[in-house]
Amino acid sequence: MVEIEVVMGDITRENVDAIVTAANESLLGGGGVDGAVHRAAGPRLAQAGGAIGPCEPGNAMATPAFDLDPPVRHIIHAVGPVWEGGGHGEADVLASCYRRSLQVADELGVRSIAFPAIATGVYGYPADQAARIAVATIKSTPTSVHRVRLVAFDEDTRQHLQAAMAATA
Ligand code: APR
């Protein structure tokens, strides 16, 4: 059974086997958490991302972690849905980001992984709905990952993630 923790912090400081970044389809980097991850991992990350991209929304693809400090070995690039009001399959695409990230983690033998609140920033996904999807999908996806850390960058997101955990305890 996977252990899920909700924490506040900067995902580039996480002490896990793999961190997930909320990428765009090019995998060349951007702002938000993707910008922070690319700054921390160095310029080789954009080169590696460009070599394997594009990545369609709902999918996840892995690269090495380059200049990130150990034990982080992999960066898993997940492309979330742009929020268009909820009637365009956004929930399914967001759930797929978490499911595919865990599948990619399993392929890499990852035992601990950190997720940001995918799609809730630039892409505009309501944080409360996204938190419920994240927790429900992680809890319902068979995986050999032992430890999942949901990293909130602000108190509002942390509260939504905690509420989603409590609602499914
Ligand atoms: N650590 C953890 N979480 C972070 C960090 C960080 N260092 N920086 C930002 N976040 C949080 C944001 O506060 C938000 O809750 O990550 C969440 C996702 O927001 P975005 O990074 O804007 O990602 P998203 O909404 O999925 O938009 C993706 O933005 O940066 C571009 O290239 C990216 O085009 C893509 C789009």
Side-chain angles (χ1 to χ4, degrees):
M1 184 64 189
V2 65
E3 173 203 321
I4 305 174
E5 304 158 76
V6 175
V7 297
M8 273 279 276
D10 175 350
I11 201 165
T12 66
R13 315 291 300 154
E14 280 292 299
N15 206 342
V16 289
D17 293 341
I19 63 169
V20 176
T21 185
N24 60 60
E25 294 183 50
S26 72
L27 304 192
L28 293 172
V33 66
D34 204 28
V37 169
H38 276 261
R39 280 191 296 278
R44 290 179 291 171
L45 185 59
Q47 288 165 1
I52 61 173
C55 179
E56 71 276 6
N59 199 4
M61 303 170 99
T63 65
F66 299 113
D67 300 344
L68 272 180
D69 293 335
V72 181
R73 299 198 317 272
H74 307 284
I75 293 171
I76 296 175
H77 308 250
V79 180
V82 173
W83 179 253
E84 297 176 272
H88 298 78
E90 295 97 319
D92 291 339
V93 173
L94 184 59
S96 176
C97 287
Y98 288 94
R99 192 176 312 113
R100 280 291 303 135
S101 292
L102 288 173
Q103 288 168 350
V104 170
D106 286 348
E107 291 160 11
L108 296 167
V110 162
R111 288 286 177 271
S112 57
I113 189 169
F115 284 97
I118 300 169
T120 65
V122 166
Y123 283 179
Y125 210 110
D128 56 338
Q129 296 181 49
R132 287 195 291 272
I133 289 170
V135 170
T137 305
I138 292 164
K139 288 192 171 185
S140 63
T141 300
T143 177
S144 49
V145 170
H146 292 171
R147 194 156 66 91
V148 172
R149 287 170 62 87
L150 300 177
V151 182
F153 204 51
D154 57 73
E155 181 57 22
D156 185 54
T157 300
R158 192 193 64 76
Q159 288 185 12
H160 288 310
L161 288 166
Q162 289 285 24
M165 288 292 289
T168 55

